[in-house]
Amino acid sequence: MVDDSILLKLENIKTYFFLPKGLFKTIVLKAVDGVSLEMRKGESLAIVGESGSGKTTLGRTAIKLIEPTEGKIVFDGKDITRLNDEKEMRNFRRSAQIIFQDPFMSLNPYMTIREILEEPLIVHGFSDPKERYEIIVKALVDVKLQPPEEFLLKYPHMLSGGQRQRVGIARAMVLEPKFIVADEPVSMIDASSRAEILYLFKSLQEKYNLTFMYITHDIATAKYFSDNLAVMYLGKIVEYGPSREVIMNPKHPYTSALISAVPDPDPNNRFIYRKVISGEIPSAVNPPSGCRFHTRCPYRFELCDREEPKLEKINFEHKVACHLYTKK
Ligand code: SF4
């Protein structure tokens, strides 16, 4: 029976890139290597990890900007893994939008804000200019670019970084999507605007019951802006659960190290022991055997480099992939 509270279901998604090496060889970069997850309608899920963890590739695969190599994507009860029908693909594109990391690079510098917001509406067949104008004005009000008339004829370079990112959000919102992937949406804007943009996401998500995938390397913000949190390491989810539970009670050594690296504003905590992880994330071309984190893990033991731990439930919704918890 189809559970209609679920909007997105990823089943054993693998996204590999086949890169040429020399004249006759190909190397395989396993950016995402067997990820399964579900997102309920109206849920926000943070995907957290270092550069090279596969989080951006996972987000782009979820909205089919990149085709998965293997696995199944079910959206709103429909298998969309291989969509050949143009109308169905267009419907999906309308329902699933992305907000990119760099608001300057993602906005065409030669188009006015009105043209930028009007483009997706024209592509999706909104033929009435008056209707398009009303939708654009409503989107600008929603993202708090007010009065909207003041922004319509401006170009991206005339706006601040925070305002440009609001335009990026408005562009994603004009088509009334059900699902939004926000890929590091505040990492390229001023610290002073970051909290405002994140609160804007939160309010839009609640107002329109959006399902929201928030991709970030910043585990601290994930606690405040997501219901659930998935920690990725080298193409796999190593810990998953309600954000507060994962952050207050992390189980995987990698999650603990990420949390430990967050600066603590409390001066009394200055001397707290910090768990530093040594070394760089290994290459996804040739990931370590067994547990992929074993080359950097201070708790590794004999089993870790020969057997891969599975993501298993340890309580309620909290899951971890680590032999410390799952091997009796
Ligand atoms: Fe560390 Fe072993 Fe757990 Fe991997 S499985 S995180 S190496 S203790």
Side-chain angles (χ1 to χ4, degrees):
M1 199 176 82
V2 178
D3 179 353
D4 63 8
S5 70
I6 302 294
L7 182 72
L8 176 73
K9 190 171 182 184
L10 305 180
E11 289 178 24
N12 197 25
I13 290 295
K14 296 182 181 177
T15 307
Y16 295 171
F17 297 105
F18 298 87
L19 312 171
K21 187 185 179 202
L23 269 184
F24 305 108
K25 281 192 172 168
T26 306
I27 53 173
V28 183
L29 189 145
K30 298 175 178 176
V32 176
D33 200 12
V35 166
S36 299
L37 58 83
E38 287 183 349
M39 290 184 72
R40 292 185 315 279
K41 290 174 182 168
E43 174 188 339
S44 53
L45 169 69
I47 309 281
V48 180
E50 294 168 278
S51 297
S53 62
K55 58 189 190 304
T56 290
T57 305
L58 179 67
R60 289 175 189 215
T61 305
I63 58 166
K64 287 177 67 71
L65 280 185
I66 302 173
E67 290 292 328
T69 312
E70 274 182 56
K72 187 172 167 185
I73 306 172
V74 180
F75 186 81
D76 221 1
K78 196 176 282 181
D79 183 350
I80 58 150
T81 320
R82 310 266 173 246
L83 274 183
N84 296 320
D85 183 282
E86 200 181 313
K87 187 165 167 246
E88 285 192 354
M89 192 61 188
R90 194 177 285 249
N91 286 342
F92 174 68
R93 288 264 173 262
R94 188 175 165 178
S95 298
Q97 293 286 314
I98 185 165
I99 295 162
F100 293 100
Q101 179 178 20
D102 186 343
F104 201 67
M105 295 296 285
S106 64
L107 303 179
N108 187 331
Y110 301 107
M111 289 168 86
T112 63
I113 303 309
R114 177 174 181 164
E115 288 167 338
I116 287 169
L117 299 184
E118 201 162 27
E119 191 180 39
L121 294 170
I122 293 171
V123 169
H124 283 272
F126 288 73
S127 54
D128 179 0
K130 185 165 172 283
E131 186 191 9
R132 291 201 300 265
Y133 180 79
E134 283 166 4
I135 293 171
I136 290 166
V137 166
K138 178 171 169 286
L140 288 173
V141 172
D142 272 344
V143 299
K144 310 232 172 343
L145 288 175
Q146 299 190 70
E149 296 75 17
E150 221 174 73
F151 291 90
L152 289 172
L153 296 179
K154 287 190 172 171
Y155 287 86
H157 73 271
M158 298 162 85
L159 306 180
S160 68
Q163 287 174 329
R164 282 196 290 267
Q165 193 55 297
R166 285 171 196 266
V167 173
I169 298 167
R171 184 177 55 184
M173 293 298 296
V174 288
L175 292 169
E176 297 185 346
K178 297 176 183 170
F179 177 50
I180 288 188
V181 172
D183 185 6
E184 301 267 15
V186 293
S187 62
M188 306 274 291
I189 58 180
D190 296 343
S192 57
S193 304
R194 281 182 201 162
E196 283 178 26
I197 296 287
L198 287 169
Y199 278 112
L200 176 65
F201 278 128
K202 192 83 188 145
S203 65
L204 290 173
Q205 192 218 339
E206 285 168 5
K207 183 173 176 185
Y208 295 109
N209 196 33
L210 286 168
T211 306
F212 187 60
M213 185 182 279
Y214 171 44
I215 294 168
T216 181
H217 63 274
D218 181 2
I219 200 163
T221 57
K223 177 176 161 189
Y224 296 102
F225 298 100
S226 61
D227 304 314
N228 291 313
L229 193 155
V231 179
M232 279 190 81
Y233 187 79
L234 217 50
K236 291 188 176 281
I237 293 178
V238 296
E239 186 156 7
Y240 171 90
S243 301
R244 283 200 155 264
E245 161 73 12
V246 171
I247 290 171
M248 302 309 284
N249 190 18
K251 296 297 182 198
H252 197 282
Y254 179 60
T255 313
S256 302
L258 286 180
I259 293 167
S260 182
V262 176
D264 193 329
D266 182 350
N268 296 322
N269 287 344
R270 248 175 328 177
F271 301 114
I272 276 183
Y273 168 68
R274 296 199 173 275
K275 297 167 193 152
V276 179
I277 23 174
S278 56
E280 300 278 318
I281 192 165
S283 165
V285 171
N286 193 14
S289 60
C291 170
R292 293 180 178 201
F293 188 59
H294 85 256
T295 53
R296 301 168 82 191
C297 181
Y299 306 106
R300 61 186 274 195
F301 56 103
E302 174 271 328
L303 181 65
C304 299
D305 58 0
R306 63 181 165 81
E307 191 175 311
E308 186 170 349
K310 292 193 176 69
L311 187 67
E312 288 182 20
K313 201 178 266 197
I314 47 167
N315 64 48
F316 305 112
E317 302 257 293
H318 198 162
K319 298 177 185 173
V320 66
C322 173
H323 292 313
L324 289 172
Y325 304 94
T326 52
K327 276 282 165 200
K328 296 281 183 281

